[in-house]
């Protein structure tokens, strides 16, 4: 793998809450509470680093945390290209994990909201073979303008661009049609079935692949315990099952999947091989707490 992957996305501190049962409004519920590094873009970058893929990560953090995060990412095999924000602190995400492993989020994106074009200069694309952008970067005007300018520069250079929708809630809030227009022209999209349904209105991954294929050359649908599929406007090209594993926490499973697929793809694997590696990474991720490799 000669060229690097550039990942653009959020840096967050994940506060993971695993209650023993339903939350009791106005009273107590015993829970396990843990703090972990997170953020969709950060998760993808760290997973890529753990796979020995050459990866650059661009993001914005609170100025007081800048050196800490730079050291953290370097220690995780990631080249950090971080900007320090003096107005907003680093982002924080509270994850509430149900007993079945499903999770819900309370998000304070903090400094991520101030990502700007100055943080993503065209020179950042030198020696880059693929750009991967978390969908969270499209959900606020400033970061959206910044990543759209980077997209345009990448396409002008013939660099592949991939996007992950990241959040059904935010997709519905901004409008699926808007998101599709903002990201039209990206080479690939990594979506789960819920996100794909929100974007297309189609039920079932085969119909979703075809519908999203009108916007992206390559469409990947993450299907959780059922595996994943890859295709486009002509339908399914490859679909593979997932192994049966014990689910502890699904946080970051999609980020691990994307990292596994991209690492394999840039190493020369075909679509089936890259899909298998993505599924293996996602399956590994759900077996431990947090969105990054342990």
């Amino acid at each position: 793998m000669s060229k690097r992957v550039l990942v653009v996305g959020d840096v967050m501190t994940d506060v993971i809450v695993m209650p023993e049962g339903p939350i009791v409004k106005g009273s107590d519920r015993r829970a396990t509470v843990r703090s972990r590094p997170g953020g969709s873009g950060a998760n993808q970058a760290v997973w890529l680093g753990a796979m020995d893929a050459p990866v650059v990560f661009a993001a914005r953090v609170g100025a007081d945390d800048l050196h800490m995060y730079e050291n953290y990412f370097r220690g995780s095999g990631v080249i950090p290209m971080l900007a320090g924000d003096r107005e907003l602190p680093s982002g924080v995400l509270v994850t509430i994990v149900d007993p079945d492993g499903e999770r819900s989020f309370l998000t304070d994106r903090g400094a991520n909201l101030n990502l700007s074009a100055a943080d993503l200069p065209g020179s950042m694309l030198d020696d880059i073979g693929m750009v991967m952008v978390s969908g969270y970067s499209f959900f606020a005007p400033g970061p959206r303008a910044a990543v759209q300018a980077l997209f345009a520069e990448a396409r002008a250079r013939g660099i592949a661009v991939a996007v992950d929708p990241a959040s059904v809630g935010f997709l519905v809030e901004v409008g699926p049609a808007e998101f599709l227009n903002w990201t039209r022209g990206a080479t690939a999209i990594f979506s789960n079935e819920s996100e794909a349904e929100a974007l297309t209105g189609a039920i079932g991954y085969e119909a979703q692949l075809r519908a999203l294929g009108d916007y992206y050359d390559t469409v990947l649908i993450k299907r959780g315990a059922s595996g994943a599929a890859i295709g486009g406007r002509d339908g399914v090209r490859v679909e593979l099952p997932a192994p049966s594993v014990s689910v502890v926490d699904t946080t970051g499973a999609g980020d691990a999947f994307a990292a596994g697929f991209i690492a394999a793809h840039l190493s020369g694997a075909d679509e089936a091989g890259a899909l298998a590696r993505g599924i293996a990474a996602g399956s590994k991720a759900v077996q431990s707490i947090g969105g990054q490799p342990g």
Side-chain angles (χ1 to χ4, degrees):
M1 191 186 304
S2 58
K3 291 198 172 184
R4 299 167 175 168
V5 182
L6 171 60
V7 178
V8 181
D10 283 8
V11 174
M12 306 288 283
T13 295
D14 287 352
V15 179
I16 302 164
V17 182
M18 304 181 72
E20 292 182 356
I23 293 173
V24 181
K25 186 175 181 179
S27 190
D28 293 320
R29 169 64 70 188
R30 291 184 181 85
T32 300
V33 182
R34 297 290 183 270
S35 179
R36 296 284 190 277
S40 181
N43 293 345
Q44 292 166 4
V46 172
W47 275 104
L48 282 162
M51 297 169 186
D52 295 322
V55 55
V56 178
F57 178 50
R60 194 170 185 90
V61 299
D64 291 344
D65 299 329
L66 179 60
H67 295 305
M68 179 272 290
Y69 274 120
E70 287 176 334
N71 290 333
Y72 173 74
F73 286 115
R74 289 192 188 104
S76 302
V78 177
I79 300 170
M81 299 289 285
L82 305 178
D85 195 295
R86 298 197 175 278
E87 296 179 5
L88 293 173
S90 301
V92 178
L93 177 77
V94 177
T95 302
I96 301 173
V97 184
D98 294 338
D100 63 359
E102 190 53 82
R103 69 267 195 261
S104 302
F105 305 120
L106 299 171
T107 306
D108 178 356
R109 294 185 59 211
N112 298 292
L113 292 171
N114 283 342
L115 186 74
S116 69
D119 302 330
L120 304 175
S123 59
M124 193 175 281
L125 294 170
D126 296 345
D127 297 320
I128 295 298
M130 171 178 276
V131 177
M132 178 68 176
V133 178
S134 167
Y136 285 107
S137 298
F138 289 92
F139 298 141
R144 180 165 64 245
V147 297
Q148 285 180 310
L150 187 72
F151 266 29
E153 177 68 17
R155 288 196 297 267
R157 296 192 188 196
I159 299 171
V161 175
V163 64
D164 186 327
S167 168
V168 171
F170 285 154
L171 283 177
V172 172
E173 183 179 295
V174 301
E178 293 282 13
F179 185 86
L180 291 170
N181 286 330
W182 292 333
T183 60
R184 184 190 288 271
T187 313
I189 185 171
F190 291 77
S191 176
N192 63 34
E193 286 185 282
S194 296
E195 293 159 355
E197 182 177 344
L199 286 170
T200 65
I203 305 297
Y205 67 98
E206 294 184 37
Q208 292 164 358
L209 286 169
R210 292 189 178 92
L212 289 173
D214 288 337
Y215 296 86
Y216 315 98
D217 294 336
T218 298
V219 181
L220 294 108
I221 303 289
K222 299 168 286 186
R223 307 186 60 229
S226 298
I230 185 170
R233 65 177 59 187
D234 294 326
V236 178
R237 296 199 292 266
V238 182
E239 58 181 314
L240 294 173
S244 177
V245 298
S246 178
V247 176
V248 175
D249 177 14
T250 59
T251 304
D255 300 323
F257 171 89
F261 183 93
I262 290 169
H265 172 70
L266 293 182
S267 293
D270 61 12
E271 286 189 340
L275 195 65
R277 188 166 177 189
I279 291 171
S283 298
K284 180 180 179 180
V286 302
Q287 297 179 66
S288 60
I289 294 176
Q292 297 181 9

